Amino acid sequence: MASSQDKELEPDVTVGYVAPEKKTLAEISQLDQDDESLNTYKKTLIGNASKPFPDDPRNVIVTQLAIASPGQTDKVIDLTGDVSKLKKSPIVVKEGVDYCVKIKFYVNHDIVAGLKYVMATYRGPIKVDKTDLMIGSYAPNMEPYEYKTQMSQAPSGIAGRATYKVKSVFTDDDKSNHKTWEWAIDIKKDWA
């Protein structure tokens, strides 16, 4: 049985949506081989299907998260190492500014269908927001993909200035948990 914490990070269900049947790259490349236009389309979609990390068993490798705000240098979090310490080192964000979240990731072995990013934001023990974003479907690629959320506005005023804990998960249509981590944002009067 899933814990309440696990349920908080479950992606929203889209009524009527049925995830596509999972197929490997080899299976897809074997389909309709006599259809030249479809083969051209598959080549465009799949590319050369190079595996950036052939010895790594993970299919999706999330490497970085950044907070980006106009006129500021991106505040980057490295997600390749020990992520357990991230929640103790909050990213400082100036109150009231517009910002977005950028995530870099690789797709390694097979096409990933319906990649999703879910984040739940807490002020103390109270959940103040849940964001569930459909990122899309991706083929393996030697270069990282980057997903950028829409701009949001940081809370402002004395009531908005606080440290917010964020729980994040990268998942897909197959309900594979590619990465789960916790981090924090510290909303302050200024960037420092």
Side-chain angles (χ1 to χ4, degrees):
M1 186 161 167
S3 71
S4 62
Q5 183 179 15
D6 293 338
K7 288 185 179 192
E8 289 175 347
L9 289 175
E10 284 182 6
D12 296 336
V13 176
T14 304
V15 178
Y17 174 74
V18 178
E21 180 183 339
K22 187 171 176 75
K23 291 194 181 294
T24 66
L25 288 174
E27 290 171 326
I28 292 170
S29 65
Q30 296 300 316
L31 294 173
D32 301 312
Q33 286 187 320
D34 56 336
D35 186 333
E36 189 176 325
S37 66
L38 186 57
N39 285 329
T40 303
Y41 176 69
K42 286 191 290 188
K43 241 183 204 170
T44 303
L45 204 62
I46 298 171
N48 63 7
S50 297
K51 297 176 183 178
F53 307 100
D55 296 330
D56 191 324
R58 297 175 295 171
N59 193 40
V60 176
I61 301 169
V62 185
T63 59
Q64 163 180 310
L65 177 139
I67 299 290
S69 183
Q72 293 293 314
T73 303
D74 289 0
K75 306 220 180 237
V76 178
I77 298 175
D78 179 9
L79 298 173
T80 60
D82 180 8
V83 295
S84 66
K85 297 176 183 157
L86 295 177
K87 60 186 168 188
K88 294 178 181 143
S89 301
I91 294 176
V92 175
V93 176
K94 182 180 177 181
E95 66 177 337
V97 300
D98 290 332
Y99 72 94
C100 71
V101 175
K102 294 186 209 175
I103 302 171
K104 284 192 179 177
F105 61 96
Y106 290 89
V107 176
N108 197 26
H109 295 290
D110 281 313
I111 290 174
V112 61
L115 195 59
K116 297 175 185 82
Y117 174 59
V118 181
M119 66 180 187
T121 306
Y122 299 82
R123 182 171 177 177
I126 299 168
K127 182 168 64 171
V128 294
D129 185 48
K130 179 184 175 191
T131 304
D132 187 333
L133 302 167
M134 172 57 80
I135 295 175
S137 299
Y138 296 87
N141 193 12
M142 293 301 287
E143 297 298 317
Y145 292 103
E146 182 177 86
Y147 178 78
K148 188 170 140 180
T149 66
Q150 291 184 346
M151 288 294 221
S152 296
Q153 189 174 55
S156 61
I158 195 162
R161 291 192 295 268
T163 299
Y164 295 83
K165 181 173 65 171
V166 183
K167 297 177 182 178
S168 296
V169 66
F170 234 58
T171 185
D172 63 26
D173 280 347
D174 296 324
K175 297 186 178 15
S176 299
N177 182 337
H178 298 292
K179 184 87 168 176
T180 300
W181 70 99
E182 292 183 26
W183 52 292
I185 296 176
D186 207 357
I187 304 297
K188 294 192 170 192
K189 274 189 166 187
D190 212 334
W191 288 102

